[in-house]
Amino acid sequence: MIKIALLGSTGSIGEQTLEVVRASGGRLGVWVLTANGNWERLAAQAREFGPDSVVIADRGFYGPLVEALRDTDVKVYAGEEALEQVVGLASVDVVVNALVGYAGLGPTVAALEAGKKLALANKESLVVAGDYVMRLALEKGVPILPIDSEHSAVLQCLAGEPNEAQKLILTASGGPFLHTPVEELARVTPRQALRHPNWTMGAKITIDSATMLNKGFEVIEARWLFGMPEERIEVVVHPQSVVHSMVEFADGSIKAQLGRADMRLPIQYALYFPQRLSCPGERFSFAECSRLDFLPVDAQKFPALELARECLRRGGLSGCVLNAANEVAVAAFLNGRISFTGIVSTISATLEKATQVARPSLEDYRQSNLEARRIAEQELRR
Ligand code: NDP
């Protein structure tokens, strides 16, 4: 049995990972489950899966969680440091990092330090500190397997391929505003932005998809996971989300991975890699899909993608600042404090003012994250 430490088990990826575990016929087991504040759901999951340990990151919910699991053998921990400790437990075979935001970086680093195979949904770990994380993985000889569907698609195109890729082509659905005129974007509401056409995901990534910063994050993620220079990572809008991404080779031949928009597939591919096992759910049917469209990204309408590329070219702490400013700006948009277009302007203003360091340490990232949040907050108050 493969024993999983599932960080963020109460979220969208977390819950879908548990569905994969349920369908695994005992091949997968759960050793650790964690949540931030949703202790009731965490307790219910612990009762169903019987893990060794659970962690509630927000210490305020430790008491109720302990009480809810009093009649079980499950060990209960609280706080951020506990998240970083449980990933290194001896029995853990693979860490699934399904946390959202900067909070994922510490556990990513801790998992690699402990030599644990990492199935990574938390793309922010690579956006913030891709250079650092990949060097650590290399040093420790630990594989990082992407859960993001685009990167899983690239991995699937490369698996068993002896030739080097010339270009990666990431597909983007275009989000809810693909056909919205650019001049209307300043007036769109959180409710509209949260209505993703093809995927049901957590709120933060859904807004990132609406601004298309999510695709910028994925360019950064691809650069680090596959060692591909930024200029050889192309993005193409593909509204049907059937082709999950593609790889081009020296002869001009392109391999693509296709399937239904169902995150259980990339989750399970990461967990069993390099094996493929049966996956529950409907199959894609060409007969039911009359067309597949591909179109270029409208750079004027979605400036966030180029902003992320620029951060990748600048290097240093740029990705960390980009991520922190975005987290603050997305929360502000969801709370009605700024307009949708205010997200990108807050990020741009923060990037101009934040401190730069060429080759950051873990402490530099920590400081930069705090500083960028402070600057972004000041920008919001202007
Ligand atoms: P959700 O918001 O649905 O879930 C986030 C999880 O992390 C929850 O379990 C939440 O706990 C926990 N969490 C949130 N903040 C903290 C914190 N500060 N400390 C500890 N735990 C925390 O997110 P998603 O599942 O949508 O996304 C997770 C990651 O996967 C993101 O990086 C996203 O970009 C990536 N991803 C997601 C996809 C999707 O389909 N959802 C697709 C591809 C990538 P609680 O429930 O208690 O708040």
Side-chain angles (χ1 to χ4, degrees), residues 211-226:
T211 58
M212 280 194 80
L213 182 59
N214 181 51
K215 212 44 64 179
F217 280 180
E218 290 176 5
V219 169
I220 300 177
E221 191 182 0
R223 187 265 170 264
W224 295 116
L225 283 173
F226 304 108

Side-chain angles (χ1 to χ4, degrees), residues 156-167:
Q156 292 179 57
C157 292
L158 292 175
E161 170 63 58
N163 299 291
E164 252 185 53
Q166 291 297 303
K167 192 160 88 179

Side-chain angles (χ1 to χ4, degrees), residues 269-285:
Y269 189 74
L271 289 173
Y272 293 127
F273 180 83
Q275 270 185 298
R276 282 186 192 276
L277 275 76
S278 155
C279 185
E282 282 175 56
R283 296 303 192 240
F284 173 72
S285 157

